[in-house]
C-alpha cells in the first residue's frame, strides 16, 4: 500500500508540472516566435512588393511613352498600342502572382527559388523586346498599306484640286467663303440621301437652307464680298447639317455621293475647257473691226494717189549686202507698223536698216499707204505683193499645190467640222486661215526672194523689238544656216511634240528628244542656205507629207526638219517667247529681252490679249494718228 501510494504520488506530481510548462510556452515563447517570424516575412514581402511595383512603373512608363509617340500617326496605330499596353499589363499581373507564390516561402530563399526568379525576369525582358519589335513591324505594314491605297486613287476623277495650293496655305484666308461652299456640297449630298431614304421633310429643310446659302454667297470670291447675313446662314446650315448627319450618315453612301459630285464637276471643267479653247481660237482668227477699218481706208487713199507718189525713197539700198536687212511677211498693217517702229526707235544707226515687207493683194495698198504717210526715219522700206511672185506657182511649190487641192479644201471647209462649241476644238488650230496663205510659207524661199543678199533677219509680225539688233549680223553661226533661240525645257517643245515618230521616215531621220527652236526672230545665212539647198530639203519633206502623215499643218514642223542639224542656238536674251499664252513670264526677263514675242492666241491687237503685257506693244502706236483715231483704235 505504501509502495502504491509512493508511486501514485510521483505520477501525480508529474502530471501537475506539464500544464505549467505549456502555459509558460504559450504565454511568452510562442508570441515571441510569432512576431519575430512575422517581421522577417513582412520585410521580405515588402522588398519583393517594392521590386514588383518598381518594375510595373517602369514598364508602364515605357508603354505610355511609346503610345504617346505613336498616337499622332493614325488611329490604327493607337488601337494597336492599346492592345500592346494591355498585353504588358497582363504580363505584369502574371509576374506579380508568381512573385506572391514565391513570397509565401521567401523566408527560405533556396537557390532554386532565386534561379527561378532570375529566369522569370529575363523572360519579361524578352517579352518587352518582342512587343517593341512587333510595333515596328506593324508600323511598316501600315505604311506600306497606305502607299498601296494611295496608288489606287484615280487622279482623273479627283481632278487637280490640292489642299497644298498657295491659296490654302493660310487657313484664315477667305475661310467663310470656303466653308459655305463646303456646306453647300454636303447639303446636296444629304438631300440626295434623304430622298433615297424617304425623308422628304429633312430633304425640304436642307433644300431651303441650301437656297438661302446660295443667295448669301452669290458671286462672292472673298470674305469681304459676303453680305452681313452670311454668318447667320453658316450657323443655320451647320445646325441642319448636324441634324442630317445624325439621321442619315452612312460612310459608304456619303463617299459615293461625293465621288459622283467630283466626277460631274470634273466633266464640267473638261467641257468648259473645250469651249474656251474653241472660242479663243475662233477669236484669234478674227480681224478686229478697227484694224479692218484701218486697212480699208488706207487702201482707198493709196489707189487715189498718182503713180509717181507711190514710190519709196532710197530704193538703191534694197540689194546692198553691207546693210542690215529684215524680212517681214504680214497682212496686218498695225502689227507691221509696230515691228518697224520698235526696230527703228531702238536702232543705233537707223540709216543702215532695210525692211522688206511682203503682203497679200488685199492689204498691198494699205501697207504701202501707211509707210508712205509714216516713213521709218532714215531707214529704207519696200513693200511687195506675194501674188506678183510669178516663180511661186504650184508646179514649183509643193505646199501651194497642196493648198489648192480638193483634199485640202475638204479638210478646211467640209470634212470633220464640228457643229458645237464643245466638240472638235482640239483640231481647230490646224484649220486657221493663215495656213492657207502663202505668206506663212515664204520663209522657206528667202534666197529666191532676195538673191543679192548674204544674211537676213526674219521677223514675225507679233513681235516687239526692244534693243538694237545689229549684233545678230556678227554672230558666228559656225557654218549653220539658221540662228534661233531654243525652246525646249525638261520634256516639252522637243521634236516628238511636233512630228509623227510612228512614221518610219521620221523615226529613222530624227531624234525625238532633239531640242526645238522658235520662229519669230531668226538670222539666216543665205550663202550657206544656197550651198546646202535648204529649199530643196523643204520641198522633199513637203512632198512626203501630201496626206499629212508626217505632221499636221504649220511651218514649224517642216522648219525643224529642214534645218535639222543646221541651227545654231542663240542666247535666250535675244528672244523671249510666250507673251501670247503664258501669264507667268518674269518681268525682268521681258525687260532684258531684245525681242519679245506674242506667240499664241492672245495677240496684243485682240481684246483677249493679256493686259499685263499689252503696254510693251501699244507704246509704239501713235493713237492720235488721224487714221487710228477715225477707226477707233483706242489704247
Amino acid at each position: 500500500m505504501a509502495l502504491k501510494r509512493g508511486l501514485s504520488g510521483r505520477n501525480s506530481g508529474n502530471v501537475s508540472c506539464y500544464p505549467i510548462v505549456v502555459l509558460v510556452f504559450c504565454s511568452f515563447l510562442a508570441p515571441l516566435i510569432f512576431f519575430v517570424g512575422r517581421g522577417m516575412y513582412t520585410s521580405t514581402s515588402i522588398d519583393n512588393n517594392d521590386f514588383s511595383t518598381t518594375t510595373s512603373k517602369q514598364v508602364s512608363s515605357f508603354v505610355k511613352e511609346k503610345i504617346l509617340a505613336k498616337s499622332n500617326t493614325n488611329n490604327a496605330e493607337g488601337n494597336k498600342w492599346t492592345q500592346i499596353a494591355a498585353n504588358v499589363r497582363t504580363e505584369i499581373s502574371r509576374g506579380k502572382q508568381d512573385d506572391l507564390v514565391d513570397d509565401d516561402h521567401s523566408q527560405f530563399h533556396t537557390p532554386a527559388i532565386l534561379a527561378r526568379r532570375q529566369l522569370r525576369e529575363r523572360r519579361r525582358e524578352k517579352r518587352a523586346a518582342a512587343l517593341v519589335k512587333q510595333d515596328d513591324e506593324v508600323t511598316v505594314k501600315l505604311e506600306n498599306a497606305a502607299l498601296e491605297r494611295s496608288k489606287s486613287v484615280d487622279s482623273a476623277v479627283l481632278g487637280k484640286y490640292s489642299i497644298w495650293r498657295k491659296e490654302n496655305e493660310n487657313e484664315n484666308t477667305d475661310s467663310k467663303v470656303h466653308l459655305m461652299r463646303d456646306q453647300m456640297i454636303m447639303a446636296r449630298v444629304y438631300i440626295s440621301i434623304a430622298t433615297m431614304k424617304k425623308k422628304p421633310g429633312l430633304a425640304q429643310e436642307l433644300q431651303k437652307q441650301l437656297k438661302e446659302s446660295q443667295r448669301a454667297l452669290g458671286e462672292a470670291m472673298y470674305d469681304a464680298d459676303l453680305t452681313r447675313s452670311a454668318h447667320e446662314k453658316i450657323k443655320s446650315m451647320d445646325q441642319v447639317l448636324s441634324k442630317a448627319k445624325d439621321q442619315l450618315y452612312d460612310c459608304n453612301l456619303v463617299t459615293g455621293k461625293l465621288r459622283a459630285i467630283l466626277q460631274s464637276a470634273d466633266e464640267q471643267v473638261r467641257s468648259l475647257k473645250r469651249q474656251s479653247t474653241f472660242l479663243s481660237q475662233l477669236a484669234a482668227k478674227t480681224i478686229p473691226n478697227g484694224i479692218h477699218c484701218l486697212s480699208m481706208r488706207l487702201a482707198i487713199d493709196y489707189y487715189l494717189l498718182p503713180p509717181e507718189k507711190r514710190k519709196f525713197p532710197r530704193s538703191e539700198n534694197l540689194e546692198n549686202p553691207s546693210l542690215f536687212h529684215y524680212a517681214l511677211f504680214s497682212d496686218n498693217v498695225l502689227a507691221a507698223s509696230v515691228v518697224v517702229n520698235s526696230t527703228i526707235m531702238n536702232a543705233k544707226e537707223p540709216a543702215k536698216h532695210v525692211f522688206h515687207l511682203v503682203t497679200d493683194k488685199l492689204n498691198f495698198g494699205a501697207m504701202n499707204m501707211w509707210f508712205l504717210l509714216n516713213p521709218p526715219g532714215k531707214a529704207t522700206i519696200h513693200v511687195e505683193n506675194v501674188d506678183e511672185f510669178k516663180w511661186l506657182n504650184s508646179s514649183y511649190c509643193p505646199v501651194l499645190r497642196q493648198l489648192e487641192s480638193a483634199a485640202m479644201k475638204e479638210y478646211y471647209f467640209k470634212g470633220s467640222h464640228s457643229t458645237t462649241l464643245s466638240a472638235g476644238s482640239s483640231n481647230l488650230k490646224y484649220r486657221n486661215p493663215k495656213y492657207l496663205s502663202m505668206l506663212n510659207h515664204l520663209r522657206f524661199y528667202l534666197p529666191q526672194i532676195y538673191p543679192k543678199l548674204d544674211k537676213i533677219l526674219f521677223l514675225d509680225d507679233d513681235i516687239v523689238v526692244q534693243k538694237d539688233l545689229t549684233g545678230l549680223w556678227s554672230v558666228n553661226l559656225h557654218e549653220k544656216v539658221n540662228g534661233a533661240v531654243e525652246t525646249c525645257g525638261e520634256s516639252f517643245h522637243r521634236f516628238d511634240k511636233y512630228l509623227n515618230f510612228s512614221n518610219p521616215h521620221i523615226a529613222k531621220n530624227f531624234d525625238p528628244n532633239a531640242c526645238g527652236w522658235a520662229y519669230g526672230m531668226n538670222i539666216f545665212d543665205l550663202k550657206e542656205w544656197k550651198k546646202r539647198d535648204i529649199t530643196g530639203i523643204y520641198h522633199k519633206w513637203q512632198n512626203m507629207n501630201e496626206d499629212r502623215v508626217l505632221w499636221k499643218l504649220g511651218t514649224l514642223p517642216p522648219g525643224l526638219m529642214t534645218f535639222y542639224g543646221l541651227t545654231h542656238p542663240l542666247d535666250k536674251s535675244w528672244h523671249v517667247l510666250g507673251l501670247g499664252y503664258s501669264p507667268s513670264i518674269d518681268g525682268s526677263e521681258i525687260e532684258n529681252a531684245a525681242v519679245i514675242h506674242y506667240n499664241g492666241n492672245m495677240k496684243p491687237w485682240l481684246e483677249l490679249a493679256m493686259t499685263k503685257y499689252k503696254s510693251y506693244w501699244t507704246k509704239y502706236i501713235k493713237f492720235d494718228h488721224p487714221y487710228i483715231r477715225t477707226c477707233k483704235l483706242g489704247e
Side-chain angles (χ1 to χ4, degrees):
M1 290 296 291
L3 180 60
K4 285 184 180 180
R5 193 181 295 116
L7 290 172
S8 175
R10 274 197 305 271
N11 291 338
S12 174
N14 289 338
V15 171
S16 63
C17 181
Y18 285 133
I20 295 174
V21 173
V22 171
L23 179 62
V24 171
F25 178 81
C26 292
S27 301
F28 296 100
L29 295 178
L32 180 62
I33 293 171
F34 173 80
F35 286 116
V36 171
R38 180 62 180 172
M40 293 176 62
Y41 174 81
T42 303
S43 175
T44 305
S45 177
I46 289 172
D47 291 340
N48 290 333
N49 285 340
D50 288 343
F51 171 81
S52 177
T53 303
T54 303
T55 304
S56 174
K57 288 181 179 179
Q58 290 175 348
V59 176
S60 297
S61 176
F62 169 77
V63 172
K64 286 179 181 179
E65 290 176 358
K66 292 297 289 183
I67 291 173
L68 290 174
K70 293 293 182 178
S71 62
N72 293 329
T73 305
N74 51 38
N75 291 334
E77 293 272 343
N79 295 334
K80 176 198 54 143
W81 271 103
T82 302
Q83 183 62 38
I84 292 173
N87 293 341
V88 172
R89 285 195 295 270
T90 302
E91 292 298 325
I92 293 171
S93 177
R94 187 182 302 164
K96 286 182 178 180
Q97 292 175 3
D98 293 342
D99 287 342
L100 290 175
V101 172
D102 285 345
D103 288 342
D104 290 342
H105 307 284
S106 62
Q107 63 267 33
F108 297 103
H109 293 289
T110 64
I113 293 175
L114 293 174
R116 188 166 61 251
R117 181 174 296 171
Q118 292 174 358
L119 181 62
R120 189 163 53 248
E121 292 300 326
R122 287 195 296 270
R123 190 165 59 245
R124 288 175 185 168
E125 293 175 359
K126 289 181 179 180
R127 286 175 180 169
L131 289 172
V132 173
K133 183 179 180 181
Q134 178 185 357
D135 164 52
D136 295 335
E137 291 175 351
V138 171
T139 301
V140 172
K141 289 181 180 179
L142 289 171
E143 290 175 352
N144 291 337
L147 289 173
E148 290 301 322
R149 286 195 301 272
S150 68
K151 292 178 182 177
S152 65
V153 175
D154 186 359
S155 59
V157 173
L158 296 179
K160 295 183 178 179
Y161 177 79
S162 172
I163 62 171
W164 305 113
R165 292 185 304 184
K166 288 185 177 180
E167 67 188 56
N168 294 309
E169 285 180 357
N170 184 356
E171 61 181 6
N172 294 321
T173 302
D174 304 313
S175 57
K176 290 183 180 179
V177 171
H178 294 314
L179 177 58
M180 291 186 74
R181 289 174 179 168
D182 291 342
Q183 286 182 333
M184 289 160 64
I185 291 172
M186 291 307 302
R188 293 188 181 96
V189 170
Y190 283 127
I191 288 171
S192 177
I193 297 175
T195 304
M196 183 175 61
K197 291 191 174 184
K198 298 181 179 179
K199 293 192 175 183
L202 183 57
Q204 290 177 1
E205 188 177 357
L206 285 164
Q207 188 68 48
K208 178 182 177 181
Q209 192 60 48
L210 176 61
K211 290 181 179 179
E212 291 182 0
S213 294
Q214 288 174 335
R215 284 194 293 269
L217 181 62
E219 299 294 329
M221 299 294 293
Y222 309 100
D223 284 357
D225 300 332
L226 292 173
T227 61
R228 294 181 179 179
S229 63
H231 186 67
E232 294 300 324
K233 301 302 180 186
I234 291 173
K235 286 185 176 180
S236 301
M237 176 64 88
D238 187 58
Q239 293 173 358
V240 177
L241 288 176
S242 297
K243 179 180 178 181
K245 182 179 179 181
D246 293 338
Q247 298 183 27
L248 302 172
Y249 185 78
D250 183 314
C251 184
N252 292 331
L253 277 177
V254 171
T255 302
K257 295 295 181 182
L258 287 172
R259 182 167 288 275
I261 290 174
L262 281 173
Q263 289 174 334
S264 176
D266 196 57
E267 183 57 37
Q268 289 177 5
V269 169
R270 289 195 189 100
S271 177
L272 291 172
K273 282 183 177 179
R274 287 195 295 267
Q275 293 183 23
S276 175
T277 301
F278 184 96
L279 294 173
S280 64
Q281 291 176 359
L282 189 64
K285 294 191 299 182
T286 60
I287 300 174
N289 288 335
I291 294 179
H292 181 72
C293 166
L294 178 65
S295 181
M296 293 298 101
R297 287 182 175 274
L298 287 169
I300 292 171
D301 290 346
Y302 174 76
Y303 289 111
L304 292 175
L305 288 176
E308 64 273 10
K309 292 187 178 181
R310 298 180 186 177
K311 295 181 180 179
F312 290 100
R314 295 181 289 276
S315 59
E316 67 278 3
N317 292 336
L318 296 177
E319 296 182 347
N320 185 350
S322 64
L323 300 179
F324 306 118
H325 293 264
Y326 300 85
L328 175 60
F329 309 142
S330 175
D331 58 359
N332 188 324
V333 176
L334 193 62
S337 71
V338 170
V339 175
V340 174
N341 289 345
S342 62
T343 304
I344 295 303
M345 289 177 66
N346 291 287
K348 294 180 180 178
E349 298 178 282
K352 292 185 177 182
H353 294 260
V354 181
F355 293 90
H356 302 266
L357 272 68
V358 181
T359 188
D360 55 18
K361 183 189 299 184
L362 181 63
N363 294 282
F364 177 73
M367 200 75 73
N368 275 282
M369 189 65 188
W370 176 263
F371 288 106
L372 286 171
L373 294 173
N374 306 280
K378 296 180 179 180
T380 303
I381 194 165
H382 180 60
V383 180
E384 295 181 270
N385 181 0
V386 66
D387 296 310
E388 294 180 359
F389 294 161
K390 301 304 179 183
W391 53 268
L392 195 63
N393 51 60
S394 57
S395 61
Y396 172 69
C397 177
V399 71
L400 189 58
R401 182 181 69 251
Q402 293 168 13
L403 291 174
E404 293 175 352
S405 68
M408 187 65 71
K409 292 177 181 178
E410 176 76 15
Y411 177 77
Y412 269 102
F413 301 110
K414 295 181 182 179
S416 302
H417 270 223
S418 61
T419 57
T420 63
L421 292 179
S422 60
S425 60
S426 60
N427 291 326
L428 182 64
K429 64 180 180 180
Y430 297 111
R431 299 188 175 98
N432 195 310
K434 73 178 183 179
Y435 296 124
L436 290 172
S437 172
M438 273 307 298
L439 289 175
N440 200 45
H441 300 271
L442 281 182
R443 62 194 71 188
F444 294 104
Y445 298 97
L446 291 173
Q448 286 80 2
I449 304 173
Y450 313 110
K452 300 290 183 68
L453 302 181
D454 296 333
K455 281 189 175 182
I456 195 165
L457 184 64
F458 171 79
L459 298 176
D460 266 339
D461 63 356
D462 55 352
I463 64 104
V464 173
V465 178
Q466 299 187 129
K467 295 183 179 180
D468 181 62
L469 299 180
T470 55
L472 287 169
W473 276 265
S474 60
V475 171
N476 185 357
L477 297 181
H478 301 283
E479 298 184 348
K480 307 290 186 181
V481 180
N482 175 27
V485 169
E486 293 182 334
T487 58
C488 60
E490 293 297 327
S491 61
F492 57 93
H493 288 183
R494 298 185 183 272
F495 272 45
D496 59 352
K497 176 180 175 64
Y498 304 100
L499 305 179
N500 177 20
F501 274 87
S502 64
N503 186 284
H505 296 292
I506 298 294
K508 182 174 65 175
N509 290 282
F510 303 101
D511 177 8
N513 293 316
C515 190
W517 45 267
Y519 268 129
M521 189 211 71
N522 307 78
I523 184 73
F524 289 109
D525 187 332
L526 299 184
K527 286 185 176 181
E528 286 291 330
W529 185 305
K530 297 172 187 176
K531 186 187 300 183
R532 297 177 182 272
D533 190 21
I534 295 300
T535 304
I537 296 174
Y538 165 69
H539 282 174
K540 181 192 77 170
W541 289 116
Q542 194 68 52
N543 281 322
M544 293 175 65
N545 196 46
E546 183 83 26
D547 297 325
R548 297 181 301 280
V549 294
L550 305 184
W551 71 91
K552 290 187 178 180
L553 286 172
T555 55
L556 181 55
L560 296 176
M561 300 166 71
T562 301
F563 295 101
Y564 183 64
L566 299 173
T567 300
H568 174 73
L570 299 176
D571 187 272
K572 292 186 181 298
S573 62
W574 280 111
H575 186 189
V576 170
L577 298 101
L579 278 74
Y581 68 87
S582 175
S584 57
I585 302 175
D586 186 75
S588 60
E589 189 178 358
I590 295 175
E591 295 291 342
N592 295 327
V595 170
I596 55 175
H597 194 170
Y598 292 84
N599 58 314
N601 288 333
M602 300 179 183
K603 302 300 184 186
W605 55 84
L606 298 175
E607 290 186 5
L608 51 80
M610 282 183 272
T611 307
K612 63 186 294 186
Y613 301 142
K614 200 167 183 177
S615 61
Y616 295 105
W617 188 78
T618 54
K619 69 180 180 180
Y620 293 104
I621 299 176
K622 296 179 179 179
F623 288 98
D624 58 348
H625 193 282
Y627 282 88
I628 291 178
R629 201 169 55 245
T630 301
C631 291
K632 299 179 181 180
L633 283 166
E635 188 169 356

